[in-house]
Amino acid sequence: MATMGPEDRERFARNEDAGTKTIPSARLSSERVGSPRVLLGGSLAEVACGAATVVLAILALTGTMQGYLVPIATIALGIALLAHGSAVAARLRDLAVGWDTRAELGGGTGAELIGGAAGVVLGILALVGIAAPVLLPVAVIIFGGALLLGGGATADLGALDAPGAHERLGDVSRQASVAASGLQTLVGAGAVVLGILALVGIDPVVLTLVGLLALGSAVVLSGTTVSGRMAAILRR
């Protein structure tokens, strides 16, 4: 059997090192793009459900099938929060690495998940005719609280670094996410007030619909901001 000389052994060692280094790099590349893809999907689902909420609320404000459209709009908004919260929760560990805002991001995500699930349940109960004048304003209050607590998460997600992105575009994206976060917080506070007024009997149907319309618009704006940032990261 022929023995390897010094040059052959050196060449074999280089090939072996190269083979062992390609696998970790591929794994790291997959992990790097995995989180933005998941968040992009969740944000797009949030935008779609939020837009559906806006359309349904407008139709119900015209007096069209309010007994069905208001609960369905509530369910759609709950699904929007669930979709976004689930996407962030699925990648929370990767997103929070090196961040000082881990507790804020996790708290906002938990609020969206709990608020979205509660809103879906309340909307279904109202749809089947169980105490709709009470459950729907309560759902608006819950949604408002979820947006209040989740506003900081929107700003954090919009500030994610995009390797290779233009610095000016990154600044614009961060400013847009901060503005969307502020609007989300403001709308959440207003929805809580509208829900309380509707719950005590002050024109409950109209106030509930106005609250859902405002909440749906805020969700569409925040989802668009986050999805745009994730798309920019994936293009790099």
Side-chain angles (χ1 to χ4, degrees):
M1 181 182 295
T3 59
M4 292 189 298
E7 295 180 357
D8 295 330
R9 287 196 294 269
E10 184 178 356
R11 188 182 305 110
F12 179 78
R14 285 199 301 267
N15 293 335
E16 186 178 11
D17 292 339
T20 58
K21 290 179 181 178
T22 54
I23 296 176
S25 62
R27 185 181 298 115
L28 288 175
S29 177
S30 177
E31 291 176 355
R32 182 177 65 84
V33 301
S35 295
R37 282 177 179 171
V38 172
L39 292 174
L40 177 60
S43 298
L44 291 177
E46 181 185 25
V47 171
C49 293
T53 302
V54 172
V55 173
L56 293 172
I58 292 174
L59 290 176
L61 279 172
T62 64
T64 305
M65 302 176 62
Q66 291 182 343
Y68 294 99
L69 294 184
V70 182
I72 294 174
T74 303
I75 295 171
L77 187 57
I79 294 174
L81 295 180
L82 275 175
H84 185 257
S86 299
V88 177
R91 293 292 177 170
L92 181 60
R93 186 172 182 179
D94 296 336
L95 294 172
V97 172
W99 285 20
D100 296 331
T101 56
R102 184 181 187 125
E104 181 179 272
L105 187 61
T109 302
E112 288 185 345
L113 288 173
I114 296 173
V120 169
V121 172
L122 293 176
I124 293 174
L125 293 176
L127 187 60
V128 299
I130 301 177
V134 175
L135 296 184
L136 294 177
V138 170
V140 171
I141 295 173
I142 293 174
F143 289 147
L147 260 65
L148 273 173
L149 296 176
T154 300
D156 291 337
L157 293 174
L160 281 175
D161 292 332
H166 193 277
E167 182 178 355
R168 177 59 180 169
L169 294 178
D171 292 338
V172 171
S173 177
R174 282 188 289 271
Q175 292 172 8
S177 64
V178 171
S181 174
L183 178 62
Q184 184 176 335
T185 302
L186 181 62
V187 170
V192 171
V193 175
L194 291 175
I196 293 174
L197 293 176
L199 192 60
V200 299
I202 302 176
D203 206 350
V205 175
V206 173
L207 292 184
T208 298
L209 286 172
V210 171
L212 289 174
L213 180 60
L215 290 167
S217 301
V219 164
V220 169
L221 180 60
S222 62
T224 302
T225 302
V226 175
S227 62
R229 187 57 175 170
M230 297 304 110
I233 293 175
L234 290 173
R235 284 198 299 269
R236 304 302 168 184

